[in-house]
Amino acid sequence: MATTPLAIENEFRAILAPDSIRGATAAEAVCGVQPRLVLEPVNEQQLADVVRLANDANLAVIPRGGSTKLSWGNTPTRADIILSTARLDKIIEHAWADLTISVEAGCTIHKLQSALAQHGQRLALDPLWPAQATIGGILSTNDSGSLRLRFGALRDLIIGVTLALPDGTLASSGGKVVKNVAGYDLPKLVTGALGTLAVITRAVFRLHPLPRNAKTLSICGCNLEETQRLILAVQDSKLAHTALQARIAQDAEPVVDILFEGTEAGIAAQESQLRELVRPATAAEAPSTVWNASQELWDSANSAPVAVIKITTLPASIARTVETVRRAAGSRNAHWKLTMQATGIGWLRLDAKLENLHAVLSDLRFEIEHASGSLAAFHHPADMQSMDAWGTPGDALPLMRAVKKQFDPKNTLNPGRFLAGI
C-alpha cells in the first residue's frame, strides 16, 4: 500500500527549500484526479532525490512544466505528487559556434528563442503556447509544429538529454555535438513518451540560423480535391519552402499557406515559381499570424462542448481524411474546423452537443484508423462519456510495455496516462 504524501513530507523537506513544497490546490487536479503535494526542486539532484523518495514510497508522480499540455492523455490511475520543473529554467551552455545549446527542462520556448535570437540563431520548432510551454513539456508530448516540414521533428533536433530515473539515478545520453553515436538513444526514446519513463531535467539541441527574411503566402481558389493536388505538387517541386499547411473549415473554401525564408531575392524567385505552379488559383501575401491557426482551435475550448483532437494521415490522403471528417461531423450536427500540415499531421476542433461529441469521435477514430491513420483526443468536456485518448495500440505495444517495465517497474511516473494505460 502506498505511503501517504504527508507521511514522508518531512523527508521531502530535508531535501527541498521551505518554499519548494506545498499542498496542491483544487485547480491543480490532473484530469479530475487530485494530487496532495506540489514539489519544485531547484536543481537536477534535488529533482532526482524526490523522485527516488516518491518511488520508494509507492507514490505516483506527475511531472509538470508550464501546464499547457497537462490534460493531454488518459486520466492518471493515481496522482499523489506534482513534480514541477518551473525552477529548472536555466540556459546552461550555448555553443553558438557549434550551433548547439544545453538547456534545463523548465525553460520556456519563448525564453530560449529570445536568448538564441541575440546570436542570430533559433531552435527550429514552433510548438503550441510558446510563452508558457517548456522544453520538458514539448519533448514529452512531441509537439513541434509547422516548421517540422523543413527541419524535422523534435527527435531530429535533440542530440542529448539528462533524465531522472525513478530510482534516483541521473542518466545522460547523447552529447554536445551534432554527430554522436555513443550509448543508447535516450533522447529519442523519451521524446513523445509523455513523461512515463523518466523525468527530463535538461536537453541538448542542434540549432539553425535565423532567416534574413520571411514571407507567407496564402493560396485561395481551390476546392478540396484541388487543394490535395496543390499540396502534393508543391511538395514534389523544387521550391525550398519552410512550412506548408491547409486551413479547412465547414462550408468554407480551403486556404493553403506557404512560408518562404531566406534572402529577398531568393524569396522573390520562389514566389514567382509558386504563382506559376498554382495557376489558376491565386496566391497573396498573408500575415505571419496564419501560423497560429492550430493554436487558435483551442480558444474557448473549456467553455463549451468542444473536442480538440490530433489526427495523422498520409500526405496523399489529406483530402480523403477531410471528407471523412465532413461526413462524420455532418451526421451528428457537429461544427468543425481543421488545420492540416503537409506532413499529414493535423488539429481538428469539433463543436457539438454533448451527447453527439462522443459518437462523432468514435466514428472518426474508426474510419481514420481503418485508413492507417490515428486520432488522439486531447481535449473534450469532462462530463462527456469516457474514451481512451490515444486509440487502438499497434503491434509495438508489447515492446512499449517492456520498456516501461525496464525504466519504471513500480509505475511511478504518470501511471495510466499513455497508450493502453502505460
Side-chain angles (χ1 to χ4, degrees):
M1 190 171 85
T3 306
T4 64
L6 294 181
I8 63 165
E9 187 170 334
N10 287 338
E11 294 186 62
F12 288 133
R13 292 191 183 280
I15 297 171
L16 302 172
D19 64 346
S20 293
I21 178 171
R22 61 175 174 82
T25 66
E28 292 173 305
V30 182
C31 297
V33 181
Q34 181 62 51
R36 297 289 297 277
L37 293 175
V38 177
L39 308 181
E40 294 187 350
V42 298
N43 58 49
E44 290 173 312
Q45 191 57 60
Q46 282 189 0
L47 187 148
D49 289 343
V50 299
V51 169
R52 174 182 54 80
L53 280 177
N55 186 65
D56 290 346
N58 295 316
L59 299 177
V61 175
I62 309 295
R64 185 180 75 184
S67 295
T68 59
K69 306 173 185 72
L70 195 61
S71 63
W72 291 14
N74 291 321
T75 300
T77 54
R78 300 177 294 134
D80 299 309
I81 293 167
I82 287 180
L83 182 57
S84 170
T85 60
R87 303 191 189 193
L88 277 73
D89 64 348
K90 301 178 186 65
I91 295 173
I92 300 167
E93 181 184 2
H94 180 197
W96 58 269
D98 293 329
L99 287 171
T100 65
I101 194 162
S102 177
V103 59
E104 288 186 321
C107 182
T108 66
I109 302 302
H110 176 75
K111 177 180 177 179
L112 176 60
Q113 300 287 33
S114 296
L116 292 174
Q118 297 177 27
H119 297 272
Q121 296 177 349
R122 66 175 170 179
L123 179 57
L125 55 86
D126 52 337
L128 300 169
W129 309 293
Q132 293 85 33
T134 62
I135 290 296
I138 62 140
L139 283 170
S140 294
T141 56
N142 195 23
D143 180 28
S144 50
S146 58
L147 296 181
R148 176 177 181 149
L149 183 71
R150 177 70 177 273
F151 299 103
L154 274 163
R155 289 186 177 92
D156 302 302
L157 298 173
I158 187 170
I159 56 177
V161 72
T162 299
L163 310 169
L165 303 178
D167 66 0
T169 301
L170 279 171
S172 296
S173 178
K176 297 179 182 179
V177 295
V178 172
K179 290 185 178 179
N180 189 302
V181 295
Y184 296 103
D185 204 346
L186 292 180
K188 291 183 174 61
L189 186 64
V190 298
T191 300
L194 208 72
T196 57
L197 301 179
V199 181
I200 300 168
T201 62
R202 74 169 73 182
V204 185
F205 295 97
R206 71 178 75 211
L207 303 174
H208 290 82
L210 274 174
R212 294 183 182 180
N213 303 279
K215 188 172 187 178
T216 296
L217 297 168
S218 291
I219 304 164
C220 302
C222 296
N223 60 28
L224 184 57
E225 291 72 23
E226 291 164 346
T227 297
Q228 174 75 80
R229 289 195 294 270
L230 173 61
I231 290 172
L232 296 179
V234 171
Q235 287 293 87
D236 288 340
S237 72
K238 294 182 179 180
L239 290 172
H241 50 291
T242 300
L244 181 64
Q245 70 179 12
R247 290 178 285 136
I248 309 169
Q250 182 177 345
D251 302 324
E253 183 182 79
V255 178
V256 176
D257 307 309
I258 186 167
L259 173 64
F260 294 116
E261 295 179 333
T263 64
E264 288 186 2
I267 291 176
Q270 298 275 322
E271 181 178 350
S272 178
Q273 294 177 44
L274 177 71
R275 291 184 185 279
E276 288 294 326
L277 181 64
V278 304
R279 286 182 177 177
T282 59
E285 187 170 0
S288 60
T289 52
V290 300
W291 301 107
N292 296 330
S294 294
Q295 183 172 307
E296 290 169 357
L297 296 177
W298 292 82
D299 290 350
S300 304
N302 291 321
S303 60
V306 170
V308 185
I309 61 180
K310 187 176 185 178
I311 59 178
T312 64
T313 188
L314 294 173
S317 300
I318 290 174
R320 184 173 63 183
T321 301
V322 175
E323 284 291 354
T324 299
V325 170
R326 180 177 291 165
R327 184 171 60 252
S331 68
R332 306 285 181 172
N333 296 315
H335 186 82
W336 61 273
K337 186 182 293 186
L338 171 69
T339 301
M340 179 68 76
Q341 306 297 329
T343 53
I345 300 172
W347 285 102
L348 170 66
R349 175 181 174 125
L350 292 165
D351 295 72
K353 292 182 179 180
L354 185 62
E355 59 269 23
N356 289 340
L357 268 181
H358 186 275
V360 176
L361 291 173
S362 298
D363 291 347
L364 268 178
R365 173 169 282 165
F366 176 82
E367 294 291 341
I368 290 175
E369 288 184 349
H370 186 71
S372 301
S374 67
L375 183 154
F378 284 156
H379 173 82
H380 57 73
D383 50 352
M384 190 189 84
Q385 181 182 343
S386 177
M387 72 180 303
D388 184 87
W390 304 100
T392 306
D395 56 10
L397 183 59
L399 177 60
M400 295 170 68
R401 290 194 186 279
V403 172
K404 171 68 170 177
K405 185 176 182 180
Q406 181 70 31
F407 276 77
D408 185 18
K410 298 177 74 173
N411 204 23
T412 296
L413 299 174
N414 263 345
R417 305 214 68 197
F418 201 36
L419 188 69
I422 290 178

